[in-house]
Amino acid sequence: MAFNSQSGDVATRSTIDSFLRTPPNGVRPAPPELWGFGGLHGGLAIAAMVDAMAASAEPTGQTGAGAQRLRSVTGRLHRAVREPFSVAAQTDAATRSTRSASARLFPSADEQPAAQTAPVAPLASATSLFGSDSPAPAPAFAPPFPDVPAWHAGGLFNPPPSFVPVSEFYELRVTGTNRPFAGGTDPSLTAWVRLTEDDQPPGQLRLLFLVDALAPSISAVLDTPQPVPTIELSVQFSGNRAVSPWVLVDARTAASGPDGWVTETIQVWGEDRAHLASATQLRLVRPLPAP
């Protein structure tokens, strides 16, 4: 079964909610209000592919969204997604406890040139692993919860929609003193984040968006806004579930160099301090366009 978002009335859904509710085999829009830096927000593009990969189990009789939950996903964004698109997904291998799937995101047929003869290159691709719980649980370990105040004590700090259009649909409350493009010395950002469309705890599709909701952590040591797009995002889920709409996202630059490539690590916790997900993100600092 598909990993659809929480239920709600059609007339009151936000744009993100409507996007996540598109049937996995349907054509999804990529409206400018859902863009991050120059194209569809990366977390939403990967969520669309996860939804299709979850649904790909149905023809084989494996309804893995219940017994086999999403455990990890790695998505690669090859080009900016700016037009309506569809997703092709398949199950690659299945065992009694795991299922591996892959997906590719293509421009919809209406967006392709009429005289197209060569294979259409995907705009993005992803692989995922779904798995059931083990009867022999491992000892419990998790990243320690940071020493930060509760969400209501954080400072409201949302990027302007003119710079990051999709920021209109979430609330971000920062902790500490680091800010994007403030020329600091510590390449990290920590903030409480929630979607503003309702008060539901985020499911896995929404969580994929929230994992990637902060500005690039490297931006905390840059003094000029510039593009730092996501090239690859890998997310591993702990199996815990969020208990409220608020999640704490801690993003830190683990490595960067003069070639422009940035490796970022991300941890996410719920309001009850339960660890929800770990992620690694590969970014590329791009030069500012010539004036």
Side-chain angles (χ1 to χ4, degrees), residues 94-176:
T95 71
R96 296 178 68 179
S97 57
T98 65
R99 181 173 67 87
S100 299
S102 58
R104 293 181 295 170
L105 186 157
F106 294 98
S108 69
D110 293 341
E111 301 296 323
Q112 299 174 21
Q116 180 77 42
T117 57
V120 178
L123 301 174
S125 58
T127 57
S128 65
L129 179 72
F130 299 83
S132 55
D133 294 341
S134 169
F141 294 96
F145 190 86
D147 183 17
V148 298
W151 66 264
H152 49 77
L156 185 62
F157 183 87
N158 269 44
S162 59
F163 186 56
V164 183
V166 75
S167 67
E168 178 183 356
F169 300 103
Y170 62 84
E171 182 179 350
L172 189 153
R173 290 182 175 269
V174 296
T175 67

Side-chain angles (χ1 to χ4, degrees), residues 160-204:
S162 59
F163 186 56
V164 183
V166 75
S167 67
E168 178 183 356
F169 300 103
Y170 62 84
E171 182 179 350
L172 189 153
R173 290 182 175 269
V174 296
T175 67
T177 58
N178 289 359
R179 299 291 185 273
F181 306 109
T185 58
D186 177 19
S188 69
L189 295 169
T190 306
W192 289 98
V193 192
R194 63 157 290 170
L195 293 177
T196 54
E197 60 195 31
D198 56 40
D199 291 324
Q200 296 296 317
Q204 288 183 310

Side-chain angles (χ1 to χ4, degrees), residues 272-288:
D272 62 350
R273 300 191 169 208
H275 182 246
L276 301 178
S278 297
T280 302
Q281 190 154 195
L282 187 63
R283 296 182 178 271
L284 182 60
V285 179
R286 297 195 183 277
L288 290 170

Side-chain angles (χ1 to χ4, degrees), residues 59-110:
T60 68
Q62 292 187 10
T63 54
Q68 293 191 341
R69 289 186 288 165
L70 178 66
R71 299 296 173 171
S72 70
V73 59
T74 296
R76 294 184 176 92
L77 306 174
H78 310 309
R79 289 196 293 117
V81 180
R82 301 190 180 99
E83 59 274 301
F85 64 88
S86 58
V87 178
Q90 64 182 29
T91 292
D92 298 321
T95 71
R96 296 178 68 179
S97 57
T98 65
R99 181 173 67 87
S100 299
S102 58
R104 293 181 295 170
L105 186 157
F106 294 98
S108 69
D110 293 341

